[in-house]
Amino acid sequence: MRSLSPVLLFLLLLSFSCSGEVEHLAEPVAGKDSLLFMHSTGINTLISDSGMMRYHLVAEEWDIYNGSNGEPPSWKFMKGLLMERFDEKFHTDLFVQSDTAYLHKQQLWELRGRVLIRNVNGDVFRTEELFWDLNKHEMWNHAYMTIITPERTLEGTEFRSNEQMTRYSVANSKGDFPMSDADGGT
């Protein structure tokens, strides 16, 4: 019997060693909600609600992530957001600015960073976080907040308000309330 040639022997050994290789693959993405659906830059857009122009959005970047199981998509504004909300006569009734913003499942806004809100009365609200539930029509936070109105400056935590930011409460509050001699001061 003849001996196998060294080349044939090498190929035979090589074929046995390759057959036991394990293919290394990453785990599949579990849910659709983690997949980026749209990435836009340089955003300046108007958004309507029920046929009425309701919002003006300005953002450097806007990411939309697919919702899973038929849920609405989520939005992320990682480089800041400027938003105006309009009333029926197209007047600004709420101005919102934040360093980072998330709209979870088209229901809950989460504003982070330097958050500034100005209501229809001109009152200015400043905080580091704010949540806005579009279904319950209310806003709240658990962080330190400053509210500046023409009559007073108010600071505190545990803020809760209506969606228009016109009726609100602040826990652990302190503030400056100017008094004149006519108000009974001495």
Side-chain angles (χ1 to χ4, degrees):
M1 197 179 219
R2 293 174 38 185
S3 68
L4 293 172
S5 70
V7 174
L8 188 57
L9 182 62
F10 176 74
L11 289 175
L12 186 61
L13 290 174
L14 186 63
S15 68
F16 286 124
S17 65
C18 291
S19 64
E21 261 187 53
V22 176
E23 191 173 351
H24 298 283
L25 298 175
E27 291 294 320
V29 176
K32 289 182 182 178
D33 58 347
S34 63
L35 296 176
L36 181 63
F37 174 72
M38 181 188 83
H39 174 78
S40 297
T41 58
I43 309 306
N44 187 352
T45 189
L46 296 169
I47 297 176
S48 65
D49 181 14
S50 302
M52 270 183 95
M53 202 57 58
R54 293 292 294 164
Y55 299 95
H56 175 215
L57 297 179
V58 178
E60 191 173 330
E61 289 184 1
W62 182 8
D63 293 334
I64 298 179
Y65 290 83
N66 280 339
S68 60
N69 300 326
E71 292 179 350
S74 294
W75 298 355
K76 290 185 181 182
F77 300 89
M78 299 305 289
K79 293 189 175 182
L81 173 68
L82 290 169
M83 177 172 52
E84 290 179 282
R85 186 180 66 189
F86 302 117
D87 64 11
E88 296 80 25
K89 296 181 181 178
F90 206 61
H91 296 112
T92 302
D93 69 353
L94 195 67
F95 174 83
V96 178
Q97 177 182 348
S98 70
D99 289 340
T100 306
Y102 308 93
L103 179 58
H104 304 287
K105 300 178 183 175
Q106 303 292 305
Q107 296 173 11
L108 178 67
W109 277 103
E110 178 183 348
L111 307 170
R112 297 273 179 189
R114 292 171 295 184
V115 178
L116 179 137
I117 296 182
R118 188 176 56 244
N119 68 10
V120 69
N121 300 328
D123 300 341
V124 176
F125 301 79
R126 295 179 187 271
T127 185
E128 293 294 316
E129 74 170 11
L130 188 76
F131 299 94
W132 177 4
D133 190 320
L134 298 174
N135 291 336
K136 295 180 181 177
H137 306 287
E138 64 181 9
M139 296 184 181
W140 72 91
N141 82 353
H142 304 290
Y144 174 79
M145 178 167 228
T146 302
I147 304 169
I148 302 168
T149 71
E151 300 84 32
R152 65 180 181 247
T153 299
L154 182 65
E155 300 173 3
T157 58
E158 299 297 325
F159 171 83
R160 187 161 295 277
S161 172
N162 64 344
E163 194 172 48
Q164 291 73 30
M165 301 286 276
T166 55
R167 290 188 329 263
Y168 52 85
S169 64
V170 181
N172 304 317
S173 62
K174 66 178 184 175
D176 296 325
F177 304 89
M179 293 182 66
S180 68
D181 288 338
D183 292 334
T186 54

